[in-house]
């Protein structure tokens, strides 16, 4: 039986041309060889399996080639090349720093450096995983690295450049190897499959390439594993089964359920995934990636960031058209927050389910202020012709919005519509428990004290922790009459203005109902600089507080208090 050689070794690059995904680096090295401008020390750094050691060996072979080609490649026919290919070359020395990292190992290497090559021009010393050398070994290596003999060239390779001493880095030419793209990995796997008479599906190779995370060696190892599992017929289903990868079809289904606000469908899909044995954190991180891919597929300029094959790309583009940008922004944020909180959660499944519920509610959120007003009117006037109601209420909002008044005697008096209750009504405007109310024009007179009273009443109804800042903002405002039934409030900063703008439909409806006046308007403006001047001295602070609360002056006089 013929000895089996794994693909990672069998198809290891032997020329610069056969190196995958590092074209700019190989071009630079070939140009340096052609011009004869060789450095005495090189540092090859980058992720695992991207070709660092392979390029170091090819470089070492090529600079010693007796008859190099015009494009900077080794001839593979001269004695130097043949001895290298047969692994008997005395000009190339490799040291694994992970297991030979002591001072004695480095001293042994530096002693060999003095001996010139017997065949060829250079002796090349390849030190792999150089970051594993001890500090003492680095120091012993410094002098030789800085001033080696003219025939010695050092190539250091590492996956962790940050661990190498700056004094070493300053003595080397640094080449940063990048992760190999999914497209390049798939293309190379197709070549290997054709050489090995293995049938493949494009989507199957795409999954392998993603799983390899930019490393060709990992990709070839996975390829061999799947080829053995499938007896030479690599299919998409076989790959996801063998690698325990979640089929992206589940993410498409979850996204579709989110767009339809179908909480039950989301929970059932989640249950199917969990029953297949997938970890919850992998589920939510995969969903976040899926949402991100939908986002980049929405525009031609960003679709280059999408790393799936052409066959699946169309499906992403089609679903992306159904997803508003704002929904995707918020959905990615929610999914990412769940991913961050997952490890510390005591009930991890509940956290996933709550996240999916939140995502389903995103499609219920109005995108504009006009949408909020329409939903508000619909919430307080359930039933009736929907099309007619939309037209009528929109026109009333533009002119003189109606107010909520008491219904007929046979109908219960509607409750006060505050922030929490209104949100509940909006979420389910078809609830049978929602009160039936009428929208009519009203024009009762009221005083500024009446307005202030109900303004404070609305503010006090905001009881949740999230509403604390908004509540304090409203309590600090004092509506001031401008003209007729138009009042004005002055706030300190744009953030407060945006806060009030979000709940404006709620608060104006509440106040018109309480004051029985559909003409009430409240304008919000930012304070001028002179209005926002804050008191600093003790007397200024006292005057400021006394002006707001006259009882303070009475307290001071009663007890004969003084300011300090």
């Amino acid at each position: 039986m013929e000895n089996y050689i794994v693909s990672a070794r069998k198809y290891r690059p032997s020329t610069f041309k056969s190196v995958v995904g590092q074209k700019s680096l190989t071009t630079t090295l070939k140009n340096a060889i052609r011009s004869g401008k060789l450095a005495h020390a090189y540092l090859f750094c980058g992720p695992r399996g991207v070709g660092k050691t392979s390029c170091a060996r090819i470089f070492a072979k090529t600079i010693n080639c007796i008859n190099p080609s015009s494009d900077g490649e080794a001839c593979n026919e001269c004695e130097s090349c043949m001895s290298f290919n047969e692994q008997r070359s005395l000009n190339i020395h490799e040291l694994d720093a992970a297991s030979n990292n002591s001072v004695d190992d480095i001293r042994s290497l530096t002693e060999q450096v003095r001996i010139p090559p017997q065949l060829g021009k250079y002796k090349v010393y390849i030190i792999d995983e150089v970051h594993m050398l001890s500090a003492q070994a680095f120091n012993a290596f410094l002098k030789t690295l800085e001033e080696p003999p003219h025939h010695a060239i050092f190539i250091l390779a590492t996956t962790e450049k940050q661990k190498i001493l700056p004094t070493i880095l300053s003595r080397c030419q640094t080449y940063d190897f990048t992760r190999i793209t999914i497209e390049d990995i798939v293309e190379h796997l197709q070549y290997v499959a054709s050489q090995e008479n293995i049938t493949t599906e494009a989507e199957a190779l795409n999954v392998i390439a993603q799983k390899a995370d930019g490393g060709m060696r990992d990709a070839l190892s996975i390829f061999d594993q799947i080829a053995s599992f499938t007896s030479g017929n690599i299919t998409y289903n076989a790959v996801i089964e063998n690698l325990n990868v979640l089929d992206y079809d589940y993410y498409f289904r979850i996204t579709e359920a989110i767009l339809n606000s179908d909480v039950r469908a989301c929970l059932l899909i989640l249950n199917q995934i969990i029953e297949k044995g997938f970890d919850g954190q992998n589920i939510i991180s995969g969903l976040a990636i899926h949402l991100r891919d939908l986002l980049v597929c929405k525009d031609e300029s960003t679709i280059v960031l999408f790393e799936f094959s052409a066959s699946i790309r169309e499906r992403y583009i089609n679903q992306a058209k159904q997803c508003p940008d704002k929904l995707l922004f918020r959905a990615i944020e929610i999914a990412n927050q769940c991913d961050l909180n997952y490890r510390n959660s005591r009930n991890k499944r509940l956290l996933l389910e709550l996240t999916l519920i939140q995502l389903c509610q995103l499609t219920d959120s109005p995108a504009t202020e006009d949408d909020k007003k329409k939903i508000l009117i619909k919430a307080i006037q359930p039933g009736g012709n929907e099309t007619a109601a939309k037209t009528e209420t929109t026109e009333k909002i533009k002119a003189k919005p109606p107010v909520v008044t008491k219904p007929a005697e046979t109908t219960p008096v509607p409750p006060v519509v505050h922030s929490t209750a209104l949100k509940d009504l909006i979420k389910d405007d078809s609830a049978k428990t929602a009160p039936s109310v009428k929208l009519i024009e009203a024009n009762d007179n009221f005083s500024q004290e009446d307005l202030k009273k109900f303004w404070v009443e609305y503010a006090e109804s905001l009881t949740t922790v999230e509403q604390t800042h908004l509540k304090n903002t409203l309590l600090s405002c004092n509506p001031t009459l401008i003209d007729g039934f138009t009042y004005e409030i002055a706030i300190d900063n744009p953030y407060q203005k945006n806060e009030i703008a979000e709940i404006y439909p709620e608060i104006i409806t509440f106040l018109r109902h309480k004051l029985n006046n559909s003409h009430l308007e409240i304008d919000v403006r930012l304070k001028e600089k002179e209005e926002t001047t804050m008191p600093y001295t003790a007397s200024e602070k006292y005057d400021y507080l006394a002006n707001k609360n006259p009882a303070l002056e009475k307290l001071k006089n009663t007890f004969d208090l003084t300011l300090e």
Side-chain angles (χ1 to χ4, degrees), residues 11-26:
Y11 294 95
R12 188 168 194 164
S14 59
T15 63
F16 285 123
K17 186 178 180 180
S18 60
V19 176
V20 179
Q22 310 294 344
K23 186 175 181 180
S24 61
L25 296 183
T26 56

Side-chain angles (χ1 to χ4, degrees), residues 416-420 451-464 467-477 479 503 506-507 510-511:
V416 173
V417 182
H418 57 75
S419 178
T420 305
L451 176 59
K452 179 65 176 177
K453 171 187 174 183
F454 293 120
W455 178 272
V456 172
E457 182 179 327
Y458 178 86
E460 295 292 350
S461 70
L462 305 176
T463 57
T464 66
Q467 295 171 327
T468 301
H469 187 273
L470 175 60
K471 175 181 178 180
N472 293 335
T473 299
L474 295 178
L475 291 176
S476 66
C477 296
I503 54 94
E506 301 178 27
I507 193 170
F510 175 82
L511 293 173

